[in-house]
């Protein structure tokens, strides 16, 4: 399965890198391909390293302005013209999306992916992996949107909110197997 992971390219401490690496090791051991922003810095590098070390493939989708930080040994590296094209390519090249801790770029990416899913423009599963409570505020806001009628579908159909990395990957694998059985 090609799993897109949205996350930070910032250098972060062990509180964030350790759980991200643990998830990435599960992804690699499962024989999955990481589809990510292509950066060889920070949390993005930690995840790509762990996927590679545990047997997974790397498909990076970077953008011209970030080319100097693109990973040189990715199995495939695509350079998009701009950030909008990058987001579209990340989604197009993946079977599922997992969101790890990140900054404004990650928030932009997850917002767009959820908006597209809400409108039925893709049916790919989306997981918000709430490592260390990082997305508690966003989770609260999403639940409020649901409760107040701002979402046209149940939140559980839009995104899986969890802090369990192994459970999140197992969820995606079950959905992926179901999709393959239907095809």
């Amino acid at each position: 399965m090609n799993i897109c992971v949205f996350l930070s390219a910032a250098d972060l401490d062990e509180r964030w890198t350790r759980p991200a690496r643990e998830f990435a090791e599960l992804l690699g051991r499962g024989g999955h391909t990481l589809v990510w922003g292509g950066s060889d810095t920070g949390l993005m590098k930690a995840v790509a390293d762990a996927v590679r070390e545990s047997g997974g493939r790397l498909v990076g989708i970077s953008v011209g302005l970030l080319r100097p930080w693109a990973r040189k040994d990715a199995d495939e590296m695509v350079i998009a013209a701009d950030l909008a094209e990058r987001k579209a390519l990340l989604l197009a090249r993946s079977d599922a999306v997992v969101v790890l801790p990140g900054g404004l770029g990650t928030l932009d990416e997850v917002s767009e992916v959820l908006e597209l899913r809400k409108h039925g423009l893709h049916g790919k599963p989306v997981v918000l992996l709430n490592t260390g409570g990082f997305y508690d505020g966003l989770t609260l806001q999403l639940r409020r949107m649901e409760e107040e009628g701002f979402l046209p579908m149940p939140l559980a159909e839009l995104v899986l909110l969890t802090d369990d990395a192994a459970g999140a990957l197992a969820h995606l694998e079950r959905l992926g197997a179901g999709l393959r059985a239907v095809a």
Side-chain angles (χ1 to χ4, degrees):
M1 182 181 315
N2 295 328
I3 300 176
C4 176
V5 177
F6 294 139
L7 70 165
S8 178
D11 289 317
L12 301 166
D13 68 34
E14 194 66 17
R15 180 172 135 202
W16 306 110
T17 57
R18 183 185 37 75
R21 282 188 61 83
E22 289 169 0
F23 175 74
E25 288 167 2
L26 293 171
L27 196 151
R29 282 197 305 268
H32 302 294
T33 296
L34 170 67
V35 180
W36 93 116
S39 182
D40 202 27
T41 62
L43 200 55
M44 282 193 192
K45 177 181 178 13
V47 165
D49 286 349
V51 167
R52 168 62 49 82
E53 291 163 9
S54 58
R57 292 187 70 250
L58 303 176
V59 174
I61 304 194
S62 191
V63 64
L65 69 106
L66 300 175
R67 184 182 290 235
W69 296 277
R71 188 169 180 116
K72 306 292 185 255
D73 69 341
D75 295 295
E76 184 178 348
M77 182 61 67
V78 176
I79 304 296
D82 56 36
L83 292 171
E85 181 186 29
R86 180 192 198 190
K87 286 187 290 187
L89 288 169
L90 283 162
L91 185 59
R93 295 292 304 270
S94 61
D95 302 309
V97 176
V98 175
V99 184
L100 297 181
L104 291 174
T106 303
L107 191 57
D108 173 58
E109 291 161 339
V110 69
S111 294
E112 182 162 334
V113 165
L114 291 177
E115 183 69 7
L116 293 170
R117 184 166 166 78
K118 179 186 88 174
H119 289 292
L121 298 173
H122 78 83
K124 298 171 186 188
V126 180
V127 174
L128 188 67
L129 195 52
N130 191 21
T131 303
F134 186 81
Y135 286 116
D136 284 351
L138 180 56
T139 298
L140 183 65
Q141 185 63 45
L142 289 169
R143 288 190 175 133
R144 181 168 185 196
M145 288 174 180
E146 179 182 41
E147 291 164 7
E148 299 288 341
F150 287 90
L151 298 179
M153 64 188 349
L155 184 58
E157 291 178 19
L158 186 63
V159 61
L160 173 66
L161 305 169
T162 186
D163 61 0
D164 175 14
L169 188 57
H171 169 78
L172 295 178
E173 289 171 340
R174 279 191 304 276
L175 290 176
L179 293 173
R180 284 190 298 279
V182 171

